[in-house]
């Protein structure tokens, strides 16, 4: 911990774990932390699209997709996002010791982890010996020792991301036995990580969030919106994001081409030239050759994020009071981090 600093902040992000999963039977560690600290049972509200990259970027910057320009996972690195600049909590806390440990190695770039004092995996490249899941991301068991090692170095700010439940839910569906087991697995990893924080618990604010929930999808209800747009002569780029799609370009303002498309539940214009489209339940957006999936996210139904605050810091009680009267949003978490580090005058209301 930096000289003169008497508080530290830990932000844990549980990828793909919806607010409804905070239950004693499947996630006892998380449930105990929730019921003994600050907890919003209906969760924090994700930005749209309710996907990993837009929301984790929002969690660590406090900015909305309209500001950081990543409305969907496929838009990261696209020319559409060129010129956008939002500061991470690491940049704004540059005088503090900070670390970022992630299960999805691409978050090193997406969430600007290089702005932290230290990050894992180094340069966003997993070691050849690392244990990985079916999508090539680090398993929760692989992330845990690096998270514990970071905690033992006692930084002022530590962000840890566990990815396991997201992969299991995508492959098998969020209510499948495999997904339920993944919630138990990440909860066990959380327990091990929390144990490493106990020696300095009284000086910690521990925030536990997620990026999005997931919902079941049927493979035979996929919608090739990009193909449809091309067939109808729509002058816009279409980016599939599970149960949502983002349309970027001149024709995004006009939604008449969506009329009568089976499985499209609604759409809204985020700004001139950017439209988000949501699928009906069990439908999803994907090209014909895209691999089958059991679960997806992106639309309004998967916006409920975990919202728990614990630790010995006095802000836990303050957060509990605020959350009783107001549901938090993804863009609030960066403000909580900075307020605890005394780098913001007030926490978001």
């Amino acid at each position: 911990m930096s000289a003169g600093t008497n508080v530290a902040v830990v932000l844990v992000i549980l990828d793909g774990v919806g607010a409804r999963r905070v239950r004693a039977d499947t996630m006892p560690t998380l449930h105990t932390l929730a019921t003994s600290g600050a907890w919003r049972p209906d969760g924090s509200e994700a930005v749209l699209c309710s996907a990993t990259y837009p929301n984790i970027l929002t969690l660590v910057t406090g900015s909305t997709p309209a500001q950081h320009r990543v409305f969907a996972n496929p838009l990261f690195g696209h020319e559409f996002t060129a010129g956008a600049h939002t500061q991470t909590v690491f940049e704004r806390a540059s005088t503090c010791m900070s670390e970022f440990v992630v299960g999805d190695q691409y978050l090193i770039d997406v969430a600007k982890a290089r702005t932290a004092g230290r990050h894992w995996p180094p340069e966003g490249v997993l070691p050849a010996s690392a244990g990985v899941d079916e999508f090539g991301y680090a398993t929760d068991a692989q992330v845990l020792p690096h998270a514990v090692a970071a905690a033992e170095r006692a930084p002022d700010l530590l962000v840890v991301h566990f990815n396991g439940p997201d992969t299991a839910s995508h492959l098998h569906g969020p209510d499948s036995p495999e997904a339920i087991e993944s919630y138990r697995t990440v909860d066990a990893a959380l327990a091990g990580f929390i144990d490493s924080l106990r020696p300095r618990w009284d000086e910690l604010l521990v925030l536990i969030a997620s990026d999005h929930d997931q919902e079941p999808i049927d493979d035979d209800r996929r919608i090739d919106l990009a193909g449809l747009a091309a067939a109808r002569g729509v002058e816009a780029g279409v980016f599939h994001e599970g149960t949502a799609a983002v349309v970027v370009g001149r024709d995004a303002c006009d939604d008449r081409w969506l009329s009568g498309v089976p499985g499209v539940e609604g759409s809204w214009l985020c700004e001139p030239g950017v439209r988000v489209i949501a699928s009906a339940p069990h439908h999803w957006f994907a090209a014909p050759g895209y691999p089958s999936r059991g679960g997806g996210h992106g639309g309004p139904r998967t916006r409920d994020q975990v919202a728990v605050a614990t630790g010995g810091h006095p802000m836990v009680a303050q957060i509990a009071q605020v959350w009783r009267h107001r549901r938090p949003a993804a863009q609030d978490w960066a403000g909580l981090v900075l307020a605890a580090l005394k780098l913001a005058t007030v926490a978001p209301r």
Side-chain angles (χ1 to χ4, degrees):
M1 184 175 290
S2 301
T5 303
N6 58 6
V7 62
V9 182
V10 177
L11 172 60
V12 181
I13 303 170
L14 306 175
D15 205 312
V17 178
R20 60 196 172 114
R21 302 299 176 186
V22 186
R23 297 169 40 146
D25 56 345
T26 52
M27 303 191 75
T29 298
L30 181 57
H31 186 263
T32 297
L33 293 170
T35 54
S36 62
W39 176 30
R40 180 78 186 200
D42 60 347
S44 173
E45 187 173 55
V47 299
L48 289 171
C49 293
S50 54
T52 297
Y53 294 170
N55 276 280
I56 292 185
L57 192 50
T58 291
L59 289 174
V60 300
T61 63
S63 58
T64 66
Q67 296 166 312
H68 61 58
R69 313 305 291 160
V70 181
F71 285 88
N73 288 353
L75 277 169
F76 176 73
H78 190 271
E79 61 183 12
F80 174 74
T81 65
H85 178 72
T86 52
Q87 282 193 315
T88 65
V89 289
F90 306 110
E91 291 173 291
R92 296 173 70 180
S94 59
T95 59
C96 299
M97 293 172 55
S98 61
E99 299 202 28
F100 200 173
V101 178
V102 300
D104 175 348
Q105 62 270 29
Y106 300 110
L107 286 172
I108 298 300
D109 288 319
V110 173
K112 304 180 181 181
R114 290 181 179 84
T115 62
R118 190 168 183 160
H119 63 269
W120 187 91
E123 300 306 312
V125 179
L126 287 170
S129 60
V132 297
D133 64 19
E134 294 90 337
F135 291 161
Y137 301 130
T139 63
D140 295 340
Q142 182 69 52
V143 171
L144 178 58
H146 297 282
V148 169
E152 291 174 347
R153 287 188 287 269
D156 304 302
L157 172 58
L158 171 59
V159 179
V160 175
H161 166 260
F162 291 104
N163 190 75
D166 189 61
T167 293
S169 295
H170 274 306
L171 288 173
H172 307 287
D175 302 313
S176 65
E178 293 88 350
I180 299 301
E181 184 59 30
S182 76
Y183 306 140
R184 294 192 173 109
T185 298
V186 77
D187 190 73
L190 178 63
F193 177 60
I194 292 296
D195 284 346
S196 73
L197 300 175
R198 292 295 181 188
R200 56 180 188 140
W201 193 252
D202 289 346
E203 65 195 27
L204 288 179
L205 172 63
V206 181
L207 303 170
I208 306 174
S210 62
D211 48 357
H212 55 75
D213 198 353
Q214 285 215 34
E215 61 180 317
I217 55 177
D218 297 339
D219 190 54
D220 60 356
R221 296 185 183 183
R222 68 173 68 199
I223 307 163
D224 181 14
L225 200 65
L228 179 66
R232 295 188 176 183
V234 176
E235 293 188 21
V238 178
F239 302 88
H240 295 153
E241 185 58 89
T243 58
V246 178
V247 180
V248 177
R250 189 184 71 178
D251 286 350
C253 295
D254 187 349
D255 65 351
R256 288 175 295 180
W257 65 279
L258 294 168
S259 178
V261 178
V264 170
E265 187 169 72
S267 75
W268 53 97
L269 196 65
C270 300
E271 61 182 65
V274 180
R275 179 175 295 276
V276 173
I277 301 165
S279 70
H282 298 281
H283 292 75
W284 60 304
F285 299 102
Y290 193 81
S292 299
R293 294 287 182 260
H297 53 71
R301 291 182 300 274
T302 55
R303 294 184 77 176
D304 297 343
Q305 304 170 318
V306 170
V308 172
T310 186
H313 192 275
M315 270 190 70
V316 174
Q318 298 169 20
I319 292 169
Q321 183 176 10
V322 171
W323 285 358
R324 277 194 290 270
H325 301 287
R326 176 188 176 276
R327 187 185 187 192
Q331 52 266 42
D332 292 341
W333 295 81
L336 293 176
V337 169
L338 296 172
L341 294 172
K342 299 182 179 178
L343 296 171
T345 54
V346 292
R349 294 175 294 175

